Amino acid sequence: MTTKILILGGGFGGVNVLKSIQNKFKNDSNIRISIVSQDNYFLYTPMLPQVSSGLIHPSDITVPIRKLCKQAEFYHAEISFIDLKQKLVTITRTFDGKVHALDYDYLVIALGSNTNFFHNKNIEKHSFVIKTVEDAVSINSQVINMLESAAQTSDEDFKKALMTFTVVGGGFAGVETMGEINQLVRDSVKNFYPSIGTENISMNLVASKEFILSELGPKLGKIAGNYLRKAGVNVLTKTKAVDAGEDFVKLDNGKVIPCMTLIWAAGTDIDPVIYNLECQHHQSGKIMVDEYLRVLENENVLALGDNALIKNPLTGEPYPATAQNSIHQSSTVVNNLYSAITGKTKLKKFSFKSKGMMTTLGRKIAIAVMFGLPITGPVAWLIWRTYYLSQLPMFEKKFQVATSWMADLLFKRDLTFIGLIKNKSLTKVDMKYDTPPIEDFFKD
Ligand SMILES: Cc1cc2nc3c(=O)[nH]c(=O)nc-3n(C[C@H](O)[C@H](O)[C@H](O)COP(=O)(O)OP(=O)(O)OC[C@H]3O[C@@H](n4cnc5c(N)ncnc54)[C@H](O)[C@@H]3O)c2cc1C
């Protein structure tokens, strides 16, 4: 009898479950492991803002999932439906758009989160987001395009709007992206676009809370805000963006910022597949799990990462949606899967106390809390780089990132404008494929 384990999502949760479940069932021919993801690579998000500023290359922080599949099958496909009753997952293959079904005995759900625009269609239409590699490359192209345009206009008001960049969101993603873009724009104007003039640069970070980086607490949040202000960023706290157009952003205090670039990093939402899952949900839409990370009333289904609501047993508060938490949850998921399948180990409850948190604010500046101690400035920046480099999967990627960082300290930034990534349709091939078409499952 073969036991089928199906992992949904190739991010921090999914890939870490994949890596350790393969080790647990090494060379066990009775176990069939499969993983499905709409991206054929794992993305190391903590360094994504550095791709948006051109500091590192997109492929520096992506690892093809197939490279991690030692004894697992990979499906490059979009998941459209999970049927918990029939134990079937419906997928649409990326290369030909055909719909298939995968069955399972044990399911792991780690589909992460989507961007939340809070139903504001104008903001959704006119903003960039920072979630995928394509998003980061698009932001980089946009910034360089704005620099080229501003260098060639004599209309001073238009030049100011071209050189105004607004990031909405005071969390890690928003703050790091602001820090990176600020560095890129200021360095580039100084070195390559003297006709623009630094006085025309305007960087705005809009955050709804009283201080930025609320995860680090008020003291460090305020220090981070002051660092950014010193670096030339207008940090607007207790403020929300309520509307946007091609050339403006409107704030809830009535102020309108003429601005050609808006980056939205202000909220997360749940994937529609998770919303449609027939199980118990938290009001945020996240999947409710028990202390063993099993989906309530579905003991053969486990969920982790951003798509699950996991409460800290010590505080009763949900664990924040971080890569760190997803990685730790993955080892509990693997232990509990192994326990359920073999009966050789006991079920383990999930509990984790973070040793620290940190974020970069630009070149040689970062802010961190390690074992409760606040650390700021270049020391924190060095700790950030050392820690995140060590966590990056695969030696070749560590080497690539270290080389890019070294180049940034020695040379000036690359300002190549790649332009839009065009959607080129691939020749469709009707290959013989292992997975039976979905109709086969519903014949009778
Ligand atoms: C810019 C940025 C910076 C960040 N910085 C940090 C940081 O410094 N430290 C930190 O701890 N956290 C950071 N985070 C948060 C961290 O990335 C997430 O908490 C973490 O990725 C969650 O892991 P996950 O496995 O739940 O989801 P993800 O890592 O997002 O993985 C979800 C996976 O599911 C796939 N998927 C989703 N929907 C479908 C579908 N319908 N069909 C097929 N596949 C699908 C995706 O392609 C992806 O592979 C950052 C996030 C961003 C965006």
Side-chain angles (χ1 to χ4, degrees), residues 121 152 173 213 286 319 361 442:
K121 291 280 167 215
Q152 292 171 56
L213 298 171
K286 291 188 179 195
Y319 284 100
L361 303 169
F442 299 106

Side-chain angles (χ1 to χ4, degrees), residues 130-168:
I130 177 99
K131 190 88 188 112
T132 65
V133 171
E134 290 90 335
D135 296 337
V137 173
S138 300
I139 292 173
N140 184 252
S141 292
Q142 166 73 4
V143 173
I144 296 169
N145 203 16
M146 294 299 99
L147 287 164
E148 293 296 347
S149 311
Q152 292 171 56
T153 181
S154 49
D155 180 328
E156 288 304 311
D157 287 341
F158 186 46
K159 187 185 278 185
K160 279 201 167 80
L162 289 166
M163 280 297 97
T164 300
F165 298 85
T166 303
V167 176
V168 181

Side-chain angles (χ1 to χ4, degrees), residues 8-14 36-39 41 43 45-46 48-49 77-79 110-113 130-131 172-173 176-177 271 273 304-307 321-324 326 358 384 388:
L8 306 184
F12 277 93
V36 188
S37 181
Q38 64 196 2
D39 301 310
Y41 54 81
L43 174 64
T45 50
L48 199 55
E78 192 183 330
I79 297 145
L111 293 180
S113 58
I130 177 99
K131 190 88 188 112
F172 287 109
E176 288 186 357
T177 305
D271 195 284
V273 175
L304 72 160
D306 291 5
N307 65 189
T322 63
Q324 214 182 94
S326 302
M358 49 194 150
W384 189 96
Y388 279 102

Side-chain angles (χ1 to χ4, degrees), residues 41-52:
Y41 54 81
F42 161 75
L43 174 64
Y44 193 67
T45 50
M47 290 183 187
L48 199 55
Q50 298 187 11
V51 174
S52 71

Side-chain angles (χ1 to χ4, degrees), residues 402-414:
T403 312
S404 296
W405 283 350
M406 188 65 78
D408 184 61
L409 295 176
L410 298 175
F411 311 110
K412 296 192 170 83
R413 284 281 163 94
D414 192 339

